Amino acid sequence: MNEQIRHKLALLPDQPGCYLMKDKNGTIIYVGKAKILKNRVRSYFTGSHDTKTERLVQEINDFEYVVTESNTEALLLEINLIQKNKPKYNIMLKDDKSYPFIKVTKERYPRLIITRKVLKDGALYFGPYPDVRAANETKKVLDRLFPLRKCGPSQKRPCLYYHLGQCVCPYVHDTDPKEYQKIVDQVKHFFHDGHVDILKDLQEKMAAAIDTLSFERAAELRDQIQAIDTVMIRQKMTLTDLMDRDVFGYSVDKGWMCVQVFFIRQGKLIEREVSLFPFYNEAEEDFLTFVGQFYQKNEHFIPKEVFIPQHIEAEPLEALLATKVLQPQRGDKKKLVDLATKNAHIALAQKFALIERTEERTIGAIDRLGEAMGIPAPYRIEAFDNSHIMGTDPVSAMVVFVDGKPFKDDYRKYKIRTAQGGDDYGSMQEVIYRRYSRVLKESLPFPDLIVIDGGKAQVGAAQEVLHDQLGIDIPVAGLVKNNKHKTSELIFGEFLDPIHLERNSVEFFLLQRIQDEVHRFAITFHRQLRSKNSFASRLDDIAGLGPKRKKELLKQFKSLKKIEEATIEELQQVGLPRPVAETLYQTLHAQKATDKQE
């Protein structure tokens, strides 16, 4: 197993999807599916295998994966990818059978049938469904719910299904086509989320059957519910209109963009392409530029439709590509865009995680950062950030990075004691003094670099305490954010001038991680404190409600909102006397009414 595979195995998601094994030439040699990608793909590289699998594993030089929303979708995508790539280790199905669809025919009196062929005949197709038995079971349910015709024009008397309530025999009774169409519309509604109401009804009937000990009837209803659940999973891997499309999704983080393109051919998702690159403009603008260059530079086939996310301006692309550029608002087409976006997000996260695991990402980044700042390599970095809202519940936090990696055992939280309101300068002085006076007192390790999340004022506050009050000489730098609250520049030195770092360099990425981590740690602590104080303050003035009873309330109801929703009787069940429960109920509801008026 090479080092690249070892790192990628550690980052696999615990979600369903398909995986593509590649040899040293980049050729796909095996396609598989998994309910949990992490477990299945790892299994190839652990334990013992039979001869055939060993031969496959020996040829694997890399792998990719595509995340899906369900195991059913993974199965359909696997079939498409095998048919497209014909990997040598996959067993090719000799009959190359297709999967079933439920079809509402286009006739004077439409019928409901199961078919394996999708034609452009004006009919409605729902699917595909990999489980034929479930499709048949669902059709049986639909036949009982919606009595579409089972007989032909030559029928002279009501058929057997008529007597079972499963056919209206429209030719026998000369049914008005408009009235018949109402039944067809109900079937359409079933396939567009109307099945939820039917499932609820079946579940209620199953519960009633269990209560009356009618277990055979309950088992029948259970099978119907499972059949509908299986068949009604939204299939995004195959669309029934047989059209060629390209589906774009993208994700951005830390100055990098990942774009995923799904290639839909004849309605089937057969391939995807992944691009990762640093971007410097607005994300939406650089995404548009990428799509335009994608078709021009790479000379890709331009399909009849191109799908892009909703918030992107479509008109420039339509003019450039001379094809339909659509932004699906709902349904399976939108879910395809969402799935491409989800995979882009996962690929980008994997890129950063892989970088983090390399020596260049850690020790190499430290060495380069030290060179850029003109100081020895800062193997231990301590970073600080303040958090408050309009001066209330002010806190500060410190995170520690050792050898370029978070060292969470040394993380610290601070409640601000002396600084008033939103005084960031005073808060920083207090926290720096508390931290490093303790370092001196307890002989704790000194950092090689202190990083302050803030500008010149905050850095100056830290330097004043360290140099003037504690007599400590440690380099102090500031991380300044831009107007989008993203890492912008590092300031350091006697005049706190900006240090030039390339945005796509590992040292800049290290600083981004440090700033993101200390901000996350500080704001999480602030939210916890604010939530606790908010809860306490609203209950403090209620007579008879001491610390023990407040603790029991929170233990039982989990949140103040749940306490507000509780009845007086439910409050009594926690152990509150009736008068205390009534006072609490009235106080919380009075406060709620006041909040609404404001």
Side-chain angles (χ1 to χ4, degrees):
M1 186 195 315
N2 62 43
E3 197 65 21
Q4 177 79 354
I5 289 180
R6 191 186 307 278
H7 289 324
K8 292 178 79 170
L9 287 175
L11 302 170
L12 283 163
D14 53 354
Q15 299 182 49
C18 283
Y19 53 92
L20 300 87
M21 302 298 194
K22 297 182 175 182
D23 64 12
K24 62 183 180 181
N25 299 315
T27 303
I28 297 172
I29 57 175
Y30 184 75
V31 173
K33 73 169 183 67
K35 290 183 180 179
I36 302 177
L37 282 166
K38 177 172 63 177
N39 296 346
R40 184 70 187 97
V41 178
R42 284 180 180 177
S43 70
Y44 285 94
F45 304 95
T46 58
S48 58
H49 304 288
D50 56 32
T51 305
K52 177 175 67 67
T53 306
E54 283 289 352
R55 195 181 307 122
L56 164 64
V57 174
Q58 288 173 5
E59 286 195 48
I60 297 174
N61 189 63
D62 194 8
F63 67 85
E64 293 184 12
Y65 57 87
V66 179
V67 174
T68 61
E69 295 292 344
S70 71
N71 192 45
T72 305
E73 291 172 6
L75 173 60
L76 292 170
L77 179 57
E78 178 192 35
I79 296 297
N80 292 344
L81 292 174
I82 290 173
Q83 291 176 347
K84 167 67 167 56
N85 297 287
K86 295 181 172 55
K88 67 179 184 179
Y89 282 101
N90 283 97
I91 299 173
M92 302 302 295
L93 300 178
K94 292 183 179 179
D95 59 355
D96 195 28
K97 70 177 182 180
S98 56
Y99 284 83
F101 291 78
I102 292 181
K103 175 181 179 179
V104 179
T105 62
K106 185 172 179 60
E107 300 174 89
R108 177 179 172 84
Y109 297 115
R111 292 171 295 141
L112 195 66
I113 62 174
I114 292 177
T115 180
R116 291 185 181 274
K117 293 183 178 180
V118 178
L119 306 172
K120 293 187 177 181
D121 55 1
L124 296 173
Y125 294 87
F126 301 97
Y129 309 119
D131 191 332
V132 179
R133 178 179 172 274
N136 280 314
E137 285 296 324
T138 301
K139 183 179 179 300
K140 291 178 183 178
V141 173
L142 294 174
D143 287 338
R144 287 193 286 270
L145 295 170
F146 310 112
L148 296 179
R149 74 176 176 92
K150 311 293 186 296
C151 51
S154 60
Q155 192 78 21
K156 302 299 182 185
R157 62 181 66 182
C159 65
L160 174 62
Y161 289 103
Y162 175 81
H163 297 291
L164 295 174
Q166 297 180 22
C167 176
V168 296
C169 290
Y171 291 106
V172 175
H173 297 101
D174 194 24
T175 304
D176 183 350
K178 291 183 179 180
E179 289 299 316
Y180 189 90
Q181 183 61 38
K182 292 180 181 178
I183 305 176
V184 176
D185 291 339
Q186 291 174 349
V187 175
K188 293 180 187 177
H189 178 61
F190 172 86
F191 284 106
H192 292 90
D193 295 332
H195 69 286
V196 175
D197 298 330
I198 295 172
L199 280 174
K200 184 178 179 181
D201 181 59
L202 290 174
Q203 288 165 349
E204 291 174 353
K205 290 179 179 178
M206 184 177 72
I210 293 173
D211 290 341
T212 58
L213 305 182
S214 302
F215 297 115
E216 289 186 6
R217 173 60 176 160
E220 179 186 347
L221 291 165
R222 178 204 61 202
D223 291 344
Q224 292 177 8
I225 290 170
Q226 290 176 348
I228 294 174
D229 276 336
T230 301
V231 173
M232 289 308 298
I233 292 174
R234 294 297 188 188
Q235 303 302 334
K236 297 186 285 295
M237 297 300 106
T238 304
L239 299 177
T240 60
D241 55 13
L242 307 182
M243 187 176 290
D244 294 339
R245 299 181 173 88
D246 287 347
V247 180
F248 286 84
Y250 77 97
S251 179
V252 296
D253 191 16
K254 298 179 176 67
W256 282 75
M257 177 179 292
C258 176
V259 180
Q260 294 247 352
V261 191
F262 285 169
F263 300 104
I264 311 288
R265 299 296 179 263
Q266 293 295 300
K268 293 182 179 180
L269 194 159
I270 61 168
E271 196 176 349
R272 63 99 177 251
E273 186 167 313
V274 186
S275 297
L276 281 152
F277 51 91
F279 73 101
Y280 303 93
N281 200 350
E282 294 292 332
E284 294 80 3
E285 294 298 324
D286 278 11
F287 172 76
L288 282 173
T289 301
F290 171 85
V291 177
Q293 293 177 341
F294 178 81
Y295 289 106
Q296 290 182 340
K297 287 187 177 181
N298 299 321
E299 297 182 352
H300 279 285
F301 162 75
I302 300 179
K304 290 186 177 180
E305 291 183 351
V306 172
F307 290 175
I308 61 173
Q310 292 182 29
H311 57 281
I312 301 297
E313 190 177 358
E315 290 78 6
L317 278 183
E318 277 198 334
L320 179 65
L321 304 179
T323 192
K324 286 186 179 179
V325 177
L326 304 177
Q327 297 165 292
Q329 304 292 315
R330 62 184 67 85
D332 292 342
K333 294 176 181 179
K334 180 180 183 299
K335 290 181 180 179
L336 263 176
V337 177
D338 292 342
L339 192 61
T341 301
K342 179 179 180 180
N343 275 273
H345 178 75
I346 291 173
L348 197 57
Q350 183 191 63
K351 171 191 169 56
F352 292 132
L354 283 172
I355 292 176
E356 181 182 343
R357 287 173 170 267
T358 65
E359 184 176 346
E360 182 185 17
R361 168 63 185 86
T362 53
I363 302 300
I366 291 170
D367 290 338
R368 293 186 186 184
L369 180 61
E371 290 175 6
M373 297 177 66
I375 62 173
Y379 294 110
R380 181 183 176 93
I381 300 174
E382 296 184 357
F384 295 82
D385 189 19
N386 299 327
S387 182
H388 62 85
I389 292 182
M390 302 296 289
T392 61
D393 299 321
V395 300
S396 189
M398 179 191 78
V399 301
V400 179
F401 276 59
V402 176
D403 294 339
K405 298 178 182 178
F407 189 67
K408 296 190 177 183
D409 289 349
D410 284 359
Y411 282 21
R412 293 293 181 267
K413 302 173 182 175
Y414 299 91
K415 292 181 183 178
I416 301 302
R417 298 170 183 168
T418 59
Q420 299 297 315
D423 182 5
D424 280 344
Y425 184 90
S427 297
M428 189 57 66
Q429 284 193 318
E430 176 186 333
V431 171
I432 293 294
Y433 183 84
R434 287 166 60 184
R435 168 61 184 168
Y436 294 105
S437 61
R438 184 176 180 182
V439 168
L440 288 171
K441 182 178 178 182
E442 300 180 10
S443 299
L444 300 175
F446 283 96
D448 300 305
L449 174 66
I450 296 173
V451 173
I452 305 298
D453 187 341
K456 293 185 177 181
Q458 287 86 350
V459 175
Q463 289 175 329
E464 184 179 325
V465 171
L466 289 168
H467 300 159
D468 299 346
Q469 298 183 38
L470 299 175
I472 299 174
D473 186 19
I474 300 175
V476 183
L479 281 175
V480 181
K481 295 178 180 177
N482 58 22
N483 56 7
K484 295 183 180 179
H485 213 62
K486 300 295 181 183
T487 305
S488 175
E489 60 185 11
L490 175 72
I491 57 173
F492 180 69
E494 182 180 357
F495 301 104
L496 296 178
D497 295 323
I499 303 294
H500 176 71
L501 300 174
E502 295 292 339
R503 285 192 61 193
N504 60 351
S505 65
V506 289
E507 57 269 31
F508 188 81
F509 178 68
L510 172 63
L511 292 174
Q512 282 183 313
R513 283 213 63 212
I514 292 172
Q515 189 168 37
D516 290 346
E517 179 67 358
V518 70
H519 179 71
R520 177 201 65 79
F521 194 52
I523 201 168
T524 300
F525 178 43
H526 171 70
R527 286 169 178 167
Q528 292 171 346
L529 184 64
R530 191 177 76 232
S531 176
K532 181 179 178 181
N533 290 344
S534 174
F535 175 78
S537 63
R538 299 190 71 175
L539 303 182
D540 279 345
D541 298 331
I542 297 175
L545 200 60
K548 186 175 179 181
R549 285 175 175 169
K550 281 191 282 189
K551 185 177 180 181
E552 286 300 318
L553 280 170
L554 189 57
K555 181 179 178 181
Q556 177 68 27
F557 294 103
K558 309 300 182 186
S559 69
L560 185 61
K561 184 179 179 182
K562 294 292 185 183
I563 298 175
E564 289 177 342
E565 295 172 351
T567 63
I568 294 175
E569 289 72 20
E570 289 172 336
L571 294 172
Q572 283 184 272
Q573 291 175 7
V574 182
L576 299 185
R578 178 81 183 186
V580 177
E582 289 177 347
T583 303
L584 173 60
Y585 181 86
Q586 293 166 0
T587 301
L588 291 180
H589 281 74
Q591 290 174 349
K592 192 174 180 180
T594 302
D595 292 342
K596 284 184 177 180
Q597 290 176 358
E598 293 176 350

